[in-house]
Amino acid sequence: MRNLIILIAVILLIPGLAVAQRELGVKPSVTGGPVPYEQAAYDVQKYDISIKVDPATKSISGSTIVTAKIVQPINVFVLDLDTPYTVSEVTRIEGSKSSKLKFERKGGKVWSYFPMTVQSGNTVSVKVTYAGTPRVAPR
């Protein structure tokens, strides 16, 4: 009898959960699955995140510096950043100097282009400056 009650509860609960997920209407960032070559070509050593939260406008502005060791030669550095955020600048930091990088958004990713191929074994630091209003949880 107890097993029958559990079975009925599961049968009624699962469709309700599936419908609830569809009602949310918010498409999250794509995660999981195979890592693209451009992201598998480096090994992140450190993230340095600085943000400013503005409760009045419910917005965030800030920057993230990614320090990574290059494991396969690359000339493009790809980072994930949710689509509600606008990128204003991407720079490569080398010691006390920094240089702006060309970049473009492709969905939830920021593609930054190095002027020359960075070889395996080198370490790079890339700073992405962004701002926007984060997604609001539907519930």
Side-chain angles (χ1 to χ4, degrees), residues 22-58:
R22 280 186 240 130
E23 289 175 2
L24 297 179
V26 176
K27 182 180 177 188
S29 297
V30 176
T31 60
V35 177
Y37 170 81
E38 295 83 4
Q39 288 180 298
Y42 62 86
D43 179 21
V44 174
Q45 306 294 302
K46 179 174 79 168
Y47 291 103
D48 184 358
I49 302 170
S50 301
I51 60 170
K52 177 184 174 190
V53 178
D54 185 348
T57 62
K58 297 182 180 179

Side-chain angles (χ1 to χ4, degrees), residues 51-72:
I51 60 170
K52 177 184 174 190
V53 178
D54 185 348
T57 62
K58 297 182 180 179
S59 64
I60 295 174
S61 61
S63 63
T64 298
I65 300 171
V66 180
T67 301
K69 183 175 182 179
I70 305 302
V71 296
Q72 294 291 326

